Amino acid sequence: AVRFALDRRCETPFSSNVLSGMDGLEETGGTFFMLERLQREYLGEFARRAEGGRRLRGSSIVALDLYGSDRGPLGGMADSEVLDFALSLLRTAEPRAFAGVRRLPGVRATVLRGRNAATHFAPGSRQHRPRQQTELRNLFLAGDYIKGLDHGAEGLSQERALVSGFTAANMAMDVVEESAGGRRWPRQRVRQLAEDEPQVAQLRALWRQMR
């Protein structure tokens, strides 16, 4: 995972997006996040605390997660090479937004490495994965390994982990309410995904017909 600031604001069509099938990502994939849009309420505090934070006004801050990067060429790169590679991926993925952009000098960039930090799913493994509800009335599971999530994040990884955590917390609150004599407690709001783009919807419909 990397995080760095850019020398100008980059207006991407989406505040986050997936990277795959690109040179250097043959054995891995990634997701980038535009933090100045996703975490704008925390940007001021980050600017005060970060090294060189005063320079961040008018800049984009990018976080890029790269999954399974220990299996590809990324595993042998130095931190500076990883940062250069990450920026090249952004320029390739969104050329209009990132054309000519550079890392903002004087602001610390971060490279975090976690070996075997991503879950590997093999064909047929879904049948062995648990659901959130367990045999114990007050025990619920959350993580990217669960199945049966009633949400569009069911087929994803990080998103499934996040949404399953929210839903597990809400399930736990149901049990708490039953024990509290009907008293109501607040719930975590779980947002639904946006509607599929037309080409995705057509492929889904075709797949259902083929099945």
Side-chain angles (χ1 to χ4, degrees):
V2 301
R3 185 179 65 189
F4 51 83
L6 301 173
D7 60 3
R8 62 174 173 82
R9 184 65 59 90
C10 299
E11 298 298 338
T12 56
F14 303 99
S15 54
S16 65
N17 215 336
V18 174
L19 307 176
S20 64
M22 304 169 69
D23 290 343
L25 293 184
E26 292 82 4
E27 299 186 50
T28 182
T31 305
F32 72 82
F33 307 89
M34 307 302 293
L35 299 185
E36 79 280 0
R37 293 160 64 180
L38 293 169
Q39 300 179 359
R40 60 171 58 94
E41 64 268 35
Y42 305 110
L43 189 58
E45 180 181 355
F46 176 74
R48 288 192 297 271
R49 296 187 178 189
E51 179 182 332
R54 293 182 180 180
R55 301 171 179 261
L56 292 174
R57 178 173 296 180
S59 300
S60 282
I61 305 171
V62 181
L64 174 58
D65 290 348
L66 296 161
Y67 325 120
S69 53
D70 54 326
R71 300 193 302 274
L74 277 165
M77 291 184 184
D79 286 357
S80 59
E81 294 174 319
V82 172
L83 291 169
D84 291 340
F85 177 68
L87 187 53
S88 72
L89 292 176
L90 297 177
R91 290 171 177 156
T92 301
E94 299 283 1
R96 290 186 179 181
F98 295 107
V101 74
R102 299 179 181 179
R103 294 203 312 273
L104 185 63
V107 178
R108 181 182 177 185
T110 303
V111 177
L112 299 176
R113 301 173 186 263
R115 191 171 183 82
N116 296 325
T119 306
H120 296 266
F121 296 105
S125 62
R126 188 180 190 279
Q127 61 181 318
H128 303 293
R129 287 160 46 196
R131 296 183 182 273
Q132 291 198 270
Q133 185 78 50
T134 68
E135 294 181 358
L136 299 179
R137 173 175 169 273
N138 58 348
L139 177 63
F140 309 97
L141 303 180
D144 66 349
Y145 59 91
I146 63 99
K147 67 179 178 183
L149 189 65
D150 185 20
H151 190 274
E154 163 68 13
L156 305 174
S157 181
Q158 286 182 314
E159 294 83 357
R160 182 167 63 235
L162 175 66
V163 172
S164 67
F166 288 162
T167 55
N170 289 341
M171 290 177 180
M173 292 308 300
D174 290 341
V175 176
V176 171
E177 284 185 354
E178 292 176 8
S179 303
R183 180 179 176 183
R184 297 292 297 173
W185 297 84
R187 295 294 194 277
Q188 172 63 50
R189 179 188 174 196
V190 181
R191 295 183 179 180
Q192 293 296 324
L193 298 184
E195 293 185 4
D196 288 335
E197 297 175 354
Q199 68 275 15
V200 176
Q202 291 177 1
L203 288 172
R204 287 186 186 276
L206 179 61
W207 173 247
R208 285 194 291 267
Q209 294 175 9
M210 293 173 61
R211 295 180 64 184

Short mmCIF file of all heavy atoms in Angstrom, two decimals, residues 87-138:
data_model
loop_
_atom_site.label_atom_id
_atom_site.label_comp_id
_atom_site.label_asym_id
_atom_site.label_seq_id
_atom_site.Cartn_x
_atom_site.Cartn_y
_atom_site.Cartn_z
N LEU A 87 2.72 5.76 -9.50
CA LEU A 87 2.35 6.96 -10.25
C LEU A 87 2.17 6.63 -11.73
O LEU A 87 1.27 7.16 -12.40
CB LEU A 87 3.40 8.04 -10.06
CG LEU A 87 3.09 9.42 -10.65
CD1 LEU A 87 1.72 9.92 -10.17
CD2 LEU A 87 4.17 10.42 -10.26
N SER A 88 3.00 5.75 -12.26
CA SER A 88 2.86 5.35 -13.67
C SER A 88 1.54 4.62 -13.90
O SER A 88 0.93 4.76 -14.96
CB SER A 88 4.04 4.48 -14.10
OG SER A 88 3.98 3.19 -13.53
N LEU A 89 1.10 3.82 -12.93
CA LEU A 89 -0.19 3.14 -13.05
C LEU A 89 -1.34 4.15 -13.13
O LEU A 89 -2.26 4.00 -13.93
CB LEU A 89 -0.41 2.22 -11.86
CG LEU A 89 0.48 0.98 -11.75
CD1 LEU A 89 0.18 0.24 -10.44
CD2 LEU A 89 0.31 0.05 -12.93
N LEU A 90 -1.28 5.18 -12.30
CA LEU A 90 -2.32 6.20 -12.31
C LEU A 90 -2.36 6.93 -13.65
O LEU A 90 -3.43 7.19 -14.20
CB LEU A 90 -2.10 7.20 -11.18
CG LEU A 90 -2.17 6.64 -9.75
CD1 LEU A 90 -1.86 7.73 -8.75
CD2 LEU A 90 -3.55 6.04 -9.47
N ARG A 91 -1.19 7.26 -14.18
CA ARG A 91 -1.14 7.95 -15.48
C ARG A 91 -1.71 7.10 -16.59
O ARG A 91 -2.35 7.60 -17.51
CB ARG A 91 0.30 8.34 -15.79
CG ARG A 91 0.87 9.44 -14.91
CD ARG A 91 2.35 9.57 -15.15
NE ARG A 91 2.95 10.66 -14.37
CZ ARG A 91 4.24 10.72 -14.04
NH1 ARG A 91 5.06 9.72 -14.41
NH2 ARG A 91 4.70 11.73 -13.35
N THR A 92 -1.49 5.79 -16.50
CA THR A 92 -2.01 4.88 -17.52
C THR A 92 -3.52 4.69 -17.37
O THR A 92 -4.26 4.67 -18.36
CB THR A 92 -1.32 3.51 -17.43
OG1 THR A 92 0.10 3.69 -17.60
CG2 THR A 92 -1.83 2.56 -18.50
N ALA A 93 -3.98 4.56 -16.13
CA ALA A 93 -5.39 4.29 -15.88
C ALA A 93 -6.27 5.50 -16.18
O ALA A 93 -7.36 5.37 -16.73
CB ALA A 93 -5.58 3.85 -14.43
N GLU A 94 -5.81 6.69 -15.78
CA GLU A 94 -6.59 7.91 -15.96
C GLU A 94 -5.69 8.98 -16.58
O GLU A 94 -5.27 9.94 -15.92
CB GLU A 94 -7.14 8.41 -14.62
CG GLU A 94 -8.07 7.45 -13.92
CD GLU A 94 -9.47 7.44 -14.53
OE1 GLU A 94 -9.68 8.19 -15.50
OE2 GLU A 94 -10.33 6.70 -14.04
N PRO A 95 -5.36 8.87 -17.87
CA PRO A 95 -4.40 9.79 -18.49
C PRO A 95 -4.83 11.25 -18.45
O PRO A 95 -3.99 12.15 -18.31
CB PRO A 95 -4.27 9.27 -19.92
CG PRO A 95 -5.47 8.41 -20.14
CD PRO A 95 -5.83 7.84 -18.81
N ARG A 96 -6.13 11.51 -18.58
CA ARG A 96 -6.57 12.90 -18.55
C ARG A 96 -6.36 13.53 -17.18
O ARG A 96 -5.96 14.68 -17.06
CB ARG A 96 -8.05 12.98 -18.93
CG ARG A 96 -8.34 12.68 -20.39
CD ARG A 96 -9.80 12.93 -20.72
NE ARG A 96 -10.09 12.67 -22.12
CZ ARG A 96 -11.29 12.84 -22.67
NH1 ARG A 96 -12.31 13.26 -21.92
NH2 ARG A 96 -11.47 12.58 -23.96
N ALA A 97 -6.65 12.77 -16.15
CA ALA A 97 -6.57 13.32 -14.79
C ALA A 97 -5.12 13.44 -14.31
O ALA A 97 -4.77 14.41 -13.63
CB ALA A 97 -7.36 12.44 -13.83
N PHE A 98 -4.27 12.47 -14.68
CA PHE A 98 -2.93 12.41 -14.10
C PHE A 98 -1.82 12.77 -15.09
O PHE A 98 -0.64 12.62 -14.76
CB PHE A 98 -2.67 11.01 -13.54
CG PHE A 98 -3.55 10.64 -12.39
CD1 PHE A 98 -4.57 9.72 -12.53
CD2 PHE A 98 -3.37 11.23 -11.15
CE1 PHE A 98 -5.39 9.38 -11.47
CE2 PHE A 98 -4.17 10.90 -10.07
CZ PHE A 98 -5.19 9.97 -10.23
N ALA A 99 -2.16 13.25 -16.27
CA ALA A 99 -1.13 13.60 -17.25
C ALA A 99 -0.18 14.66 -16.70
O ALA A 99 -0.61 15.72 -16.25
CB ALA A 99 -1.78 14.09 -18.54
N GLY A 100 1.12 14.35 -16.74
CA GLY A 100 2.13 15.31 -16.33
C GLY A 100 2.23 15.56 -14.84
O GLY A 100 3.05 16.38 -14.40
N VAL A 101 1.43 14.89 -14.03
CA VAL A 101 1.45 15.13 -12.59
C VAL A 101 2.70 14.51 -11.97
O VAL A 101 3.24 13.51 -12.46
CB VAL A 101 0.17 14.57 -11.94
CG1 VAL A 101 0.20 13.05 -11.87
CG2 VAL A 101 -0.04 15.16 -10.55
N ARG A 102 3.16 15.10 -10.88
CA ARG A 102 4.32 14.60 -10.15
C ARG A 102 3.98 14.52 -8.67
O ARG A 102 3.03 15.15 -8.21
CB ARG A 102 5.54 15.50 -10.35
CG ARG A 102 6.00 15.63 -11.80
CD ARG A 102 7.19 16.56 -11.89
NE ARG A 102 7.65 16.73 -13.26
CZ ARG A 102 8.66 17.51 -13.62
NH1 ARG A 102 9.31 18.23 -12.69
NH2 ARG A 102 9.00 17.62 -14.89
N ARG A 103 4.79 13.77 -7.94
CA ARG A 103 4.63 13.76 -6.48
C ARG A 103 5.01 15.13 -5.93
O ARG A 103 5.95 15.77 -6.40
CB ARG A 103 5.48 12.67 -5.84
CG ARG A 103 5.05 11.27 -6.19
CD ARG A 103 5.52 10.25 -5.16
NE ARG A 103 6.91 10.38 -4.82
CZ ARG A 103 7.90 9.80 -5.48
NH1 ARG A 103 7.64 9.05 -6.53
NH2 ARG A 103 9.16 9.95 -5.10
N LEU A 104 4.28 15.55 -4.93
CA LEU A 104 4.51 16.86 -4.33
C LEU A 104 5.78 16.82 -3.49
O LEU A 104 5.89 16.04 -2.54
CB LEU A 104 3.32 17.25 -3.45
CG LEU A 104 3.35 18.64 -2.83
CD1 LEU A 104 3.33 19.71 -3.92
CD2 LEU A 104 2.15 18.82 -1.90
N PRO A 105 6.80 17.62 -3.83
CA PRO A 105 8.04 17.59 -3.05
C PRO A 105 7.85 18.14 -1.64
O PRO A 105 7.00 19.00 -1.40
CB PRO A 105 8.98 18.48 -3.88
CG PRO A 105 8.07 19.39 -4.65
CD PRO A 105 6.85 18.59 -4.94
N GLY A 106 8.63 17.63 -0.73
CA GLY A 106 8.58 18.10 0.65
C GLY A 106 7.49 17.49 1.49
O GLY A 106 7.35 17.84 2.67
N VAL A 107 6.69 16.60 0.92
CA VAL A 107 5.63 15.92 1.67
C VAL A 107 5.96 14.43 1.71
O VAL A 107 6.23 13.83 0.67
CB VAL A 107 4.25 16.13 1.01
CG1 VAL A 107 3.17 15.37 1.78
CG2 VAL A 107 3.91 17.61 0.96
N ARG A 108 5.95 13.88 2.87
CA ARG A 108 6.36 12.49 3.04
C ARG A 108 5.42 11.53 2.31
O ARG A 108 4.20 11.63 2.41
CB ARG A 108 6.39 12.13 4.52
CG ARG A 108 6.82 10.70 4.80
CD ARG A 108 6.78 10.42 6.29
NE ARG A 108 7.12 9.03 6.57
CZ ARG A 108 7.07 8.49 7.79
NH1 ARG A 108 6.69 9.23 8.82
NH2 ARG A 108 7.39 7.24 7.98
N ALA A 109 5.99 10.59 1.57
CA ALA A 109 5.24 9.51 0.94
C ALA A 109 5.45 8.23 1.76
O ALA A 109 6.50 8.04 2.37
CB ALA A 109 5.70 9.30 -0.49
N THR A 110 4.44 7.36 1.76
CA THR A 110 4.47 6.16 2.59
C THR A 110 4.34 4.91 1.74
O THR A 110 3.52 4.86 0.82
CB THR A 110 3.32 6.19 3.61
OG1 THR A 110 3.42 7.38 4.40
CG2 THR A 110 3.39 4.98 4.53
N VAL A 111 5.16 3.91 2.04
CA VAL A 111 5.05 2.59 1.43
C VAL A 111 4.94 1.56 2.54
O VAL A 111 5.83 1.47 3.39
CB VAL A 111 6.26 2.26 0.53
CG1 VAL A 111 6.14 0.84 -0.03
CG2 VAL A 111 6.39 3.27 -0.60
N LEU A 112 3.85 0.82 2.58
CA LEU A 112 3.65 -0.22 3.59
C LEU A 112 3.63 -1.57 2.90
O LEU A 112 2.96 -1.74 1.88
CB LEU A 112 2.32 0.00 4.33
CG LEU A 112 2.18 1.31 5.11
CD1 LEU A 112 0.78 1.41 5.71
CD2 LEU A 112 3.23 1.41 6.19
N ARG A 113 4.34 -2.53 3.48
CA ARG A 113 4.41 -3.87 2.90
C ARG A 113 3.86 -4.89 3.91
O ARG A 113 4.26 -4.89 5.06
CB ARG A 113 5.85 -4.24 2.54
CG ARG A 113 6.49 -3.27 1.54
CD ARG A 113 7.98 -3.60 1.36
NE ARG A 113 8.66 -2.61 0.53
CZ ARG A 113 8.90 -2.77 -0.77
NH1 ARG A 113 8.52 -3.88 -1.38
NH2 ARG A 113 9.51 -1.83 -1.45
N GLY A 114 2.95 -5.72 3.44
CA GLY A 114 2.39 -6.78 4.28
C GLY A 114 2.42 -8.10 3.53
O GLY A 114 1.60 -8.33 2.65
N ARG A 115 3.35 -8.93 3.87
CA ARG A 115 3.49 -10.21 3.16
C ARG A 115 2.31 -11.13 3.51
O ARG A 115 1.94 -11.28 4.67
CB ARG A 115 4.82 -10.88 3.52
CG ARG A 115 5.15 -12.08 2.64
CD ARG A 115 6.57 -12.56 2.90
NE ARG A 115 6.92 -13.67 2.01
CZ ARG A 115 7.34 -13.53 0.77
NH1 ARG A 115 7.48 -12.32 0.26
NH2 ARG A 115 7.64 -14.58 0.02
N ASN A 116 1.74 -11.76 2.48
CA ASN A 116 0.59 -12.67 2.66
C ASN A 116 -0.57 -11.98 3.38
O ASN A 116 -1.29 -12.59 4.17
CB ASN A 116 1.00 -13.92 3.44
CG ASN A 116 2.02 -14.75 2.70
OD1 ASN A 116 1.99 -14.84 1.47
ND2 ASN A 116 2.95 -15.35 3.42
N ALA A 117 -0.76 -10.69 3.09
CA ALA A 117 -1.79 -9.92 3.78
C ALA A 117 -3.16 -10.01 3.10
O ALA A 117 -4.15 -9.56 3.66
CB ALA A 117 -1.37 -8.45 3.86
N ALA A 118 -3.22 -10.57 1.89
CA ALA A 118 -4.48 -10.68 1.16
C ALA A 118 -4.95 -12.12 1.16
O ALA A 118 -4.15 -13.05 1.09
CB ALA A 118 -4.33 -10.17 -0.28
N THR A 119 -6.26 -12.31 1.25
CA THR A 119 -6.84 -13.64 1.24
C THR A 119 -6.80 -14.21 -0.17
O THR A 119 -7.09 -13.51 -1.14
CB THR A 119 -8.29 -13.60 1.73
OG1 THR A 119 -8.32 -12.96 3.01
CG2 THR A 119 -8.85 -15.00 1.87
N HIS A 120 -6.43 -15.48 -0.30
CA HIS A 120 -6.40 -16.16 -1.59
C HIS A 120 -7.57 -17.16 -1.65
O HIS A 120 -7.67 -18.05 -0.81
CB HIS A 120 -5.08 -16.91 -1.78
CG HIS A 120 -3.89 -16.01 -1.82
ND1 HIS A 120 -3.35 -15.53 -2.99
CD2 HIS A 120 -3.14 -15.46 -0.83
CE1 HIS A 120 -2.31 -14.75 -2.72
NE2 HIS A 120 -2.19 -14.70 -1.42
N PHE A 121 -8.45 -16.98 -2.62
CA PHE A 121 -9.59 -17.87 -2.77
C PHE A 121 -9.36 -18.78 -3.98
O PHE A 121 -9.05 -18.31 -5.07
CB PHE A 121 -10.88 -17.06 -2.99
CG PHE A 121 -11.25 -16.21 -1.80
CD1 PHE A 121 -11.05 -14.84 -1.84
CD2 PHE A 121 -11.77 -16.77 -0.66
CE1 PHE A 121 -11.38 -14.04 -0.76
CE2 PHE A 121 -12.11 -15.98 0.43
CZ PHE A 121 -11.91 -14.61 0.38
N ALA A 122 -9.52 -20.08 -3.77
CA ALA A 122 -9.35 -21.05 -4.85
C ALA A 122 -10.72 -21.42 -5.41
O ALA A 122 -11.74 -21.31 -4.72
CB ALA A 122 -8.65 -22.31 -4.32
N PRO A 123 -10.78 -21.85 -6.67
CA PRO A 123 -12.06 -22.30 -7.23
C PRO A 123 -12.70 -23.39 -6.37
O PRO A 123 -12.03 -24.34 -5.96
CB PRO A 123 -11.66 -22.84 -8.61
CG PRO A 123 -10.42 -22.08 -8.97
CD PRO A 123 -9.69 -21.89 -7.67
N GLY A 124 -13.96 -23.22 -6.07
CA GLY A 124 -14.66 -24.20 -5.24
C GLY A 124 -14.59 -23.94 -3.74
O GLY A 124 -15.21 -24.66 -2.96
N SER A 125 -13.84 -22.92 -3.33
CA SER A 125 -13.67 -22.68 -1.90
C SER A 125 -14.90 -22.04 -1.25
O SER A 125 -15.04 -22.06 -0.03
CB SER A 125 -12.44 -21.80 -1.65
OG SER A 125 -12.60 -20.53 -2.25
N ARG A 126 -15.79 -21.49 -2.06
CA ARG A 126 -16.95 -20.80 -1.49
C ARG A 126 -17.79 -21.72 -0.62
O ARG A 126 -18.34 -21.29 0.40
CB ARG A 126 -17.81 -20.19 -2.60
CG ARG A 126 -18.93 -19.30 -2.08
CD ARG A 126 -19.76 -18.71 -3.21
NE ARG A 126 -20.66 -17.69 -2.71
CZ ARG A 126 -21.84 -17.93 -2.13
NH1 ARG A 126 -22.24 -19.19 -2.00
NH2 ARG A 126 -22.61 -16.94 -1.71
N GLN A 127 -17.89 -22.98 -1.00
CA GLN A 127 -18.73 -23.91 -0.24
C GLN A 127 -18.20 -24.12 1.18
O GLN A 127 -18.95 -24.56 2.07
CB GLN A 127 -18.78 -25.26 -0.96
CG GLN A 127 -17.43 -25.93 -1.12
CD GLN A 127 -17.51 -27.24 -1.85
OE1 GLN A 127 -18.42 -28.03 -1.61
NE2 GLN A 127 -16.58 -27.49 -2.76
N HIS A 128 -16.94 -23.80 1.43
CA HIS A 128 -16.35 -23.99 2.75
C HIS A 128 -16.34 -22.71 3.58
O HIS A 128 -15.95 -22.75 4.75
CB HIS A 128 -14.92 -24.50 2.61
CG HIS A 128 -14.81 -25.78 1.83
ND1 HIS A 128 -15.32 -26.98 2.27
CD2 HIS A 128 -14.26 -26.03 0.61
CE1 HIS A 128 -15.08 -27.92 1.38
NE2 HIS A 128 -14.44 -27.37 0.36
N ARG A 129 -16.75 -21.61 2.98
CA ARG A 129 -16.74 -20.34 3.70
C ARG A 129 -17.98 -20.21 4.58
O ARG A 129 -19.07 -20.64 4.19
CB ARG A 129 -16.64 -19.18 2.71
CG ARG A 129 -15.28 -19.04 2.08
CD ARG A 129 -15.31 -18.23 0.80
NE ARG A 129 -16.09 -17.02 0.92
CZ ARG A 129 -16.52 -16.32 -0.12
NH1 ARG A 129 -16.27 -16.73 -1.35
NH2 ARG A 129 -17.22 -15.22 0.07
N PRO A 130 -17.87 -19.61 5.75
CA PRO A 130 -19.01 -19.52 6.65
C PRO A 130 -19.91 -18.32 6.32
O PRO A 130 -19.51 -17.38 5.63
CB PRO A 130 -18.35 -19.30 8.02
CG PRO A 130 -17.09 -18.55 7.68
CD PRO A 130 -16.63 -19.10 6.36
N ARG A 131 -21.12 -18.35 6.84
CA ARG A 131 -22.02 -17.21 6.78
C ARG A 131 -21.86 -16.38 8.06
O ARG A 131 -21.22 -16.82 9.01
CB ARG A 131 -23.46 -17.67 6.61
CG ARG A 131 -23.69 -18.41 5.28
CD ARG A 131 -25.15 -18.79 5.09
NE ARG A 131 -25.34 -19.52 3.85
CZ ARG A 131 -25.56 -18.94 2.66
NH1 ARG A 131 -25.64 -17.62 2.59
NH2 ARG A 131 -25.72 -19.67 1.58
N GLN A 132 -22.46 -15.21 8.06
CA GLN A 132 -22.29 -14.33 9.22
C GLN A 132 -22.96 -14.88 10.47
O GLN A 132 -22.43 -14.76 11.57
CB GLN A 132 -22.86 -12.94 8.90
CG GLN A 132 -22.04 -12.19 7.86
CD GLN A 132 -22.33 -10.71 7.88
OE1 GLN A 132 -23.21 -10.25 7.18
NE2 GLN A 132 -21.59 -9.97 8.68
N GLN A 133 -24.14 -15.47 10.31
CA GLN A 133 -24.86 -16.03 11.45
C GLN A 133 -24.23 -17.35 11.85
O GLN A 133 -23.97 -18.20 11.01
CB GLN A 133 -26.32 -16.24 11.10
CG GLN A 133 -27.18 -16.70 12.24
CD GLN A 133 -27.53 -15.56 13.18
OE1 GLN A 133 -27.98 -14.52 12.75
NE2 GLN A 133 -27.33 -15.79 14.47
N THR A 134 -23.97 -17.53 13.14
CA THR A 134 -23.38 -18.77 13.63
C THR A 134 -24.41 -19.53 14.47
O THR A 134 -25.54 -19.07 14.66
CB THR A 134 -22.14 -18.49 14.49
OG1 THR A 134 -22.54 -17.84 15.72
CG2 THR A 134 -21.15 -17.59 13.74
N GLU A 135 -24.01 -20.66 14.98
CA GLU A 135 -24.90 -21.44 15.83
C GLU A 135 -25.12 -20.77 17.19
O GLU A 135 -26.07 -21.09 17.89
CB GLU A 135 -24.34 -22.85 16.03
CG GLU A 135 -24.30 -23.67 14.74
CD GLU A 135 -23.77 -25.07 14.99
OE1 GLU A 135 -23.40 -25.37 16.15
OE2 GLU A 135 -23.73 -25.87 14.03
N LEU A 136 -24.24 -19.85 17.54
CA LEU A 136 -24.41 -19.10 18.78
C LEU A 136 -25.24 -17.86 18.50
O LEU A 136 -24.96 -17.10 17.57
CB LEU A 136 -23.05 -18.70 19.35
CG LEU A 136 -22.12 -19.86 19.72
CD1 LEU A 136 -20.80 -19.33 20.26
CD2 LEU A 136 -22.78 -20.77 20.76
N ARG A 137 -26.25 -17.64 19.29
CA ARG A 137 -27.21 -16.56 19.04
C ARG A 137 -26.56 -15.19 18.99
O ARG A 137 -27.01 -14.30 18.25
CB ARG A 137 -28.27 -16.60 20.15
CG ARG A 137 -29.25 -15.45 20.16
CD ARG A 137 -30.31 -15.65 21.19
NE ARG A 137 -31.11 -14.46 21.41
CZ ARG A 137 -30.80 -13.50 22.27
NH1 ARG A 137 -29.70 -13.61 23.02
NH2 ARG A 137 -31.58 -12.44 22.42
N ASN A 138 -25.50 -14.98 19.77
CA ASN A 138 -24.90 -13.64 19.87
C ASN A 138 -23.49 -13.59 19.29
O ASN A 138 -22.69 -12.75 19.68
CB ASN A 138 -24.88 -13.19 21.33
CG ASN A 138 -24.09 -14.16 22.21
OD1 ASN A 138 -23.77 -15.27 21.77
ND2 ASN A 138 -23.78 -13.75 23.43
#
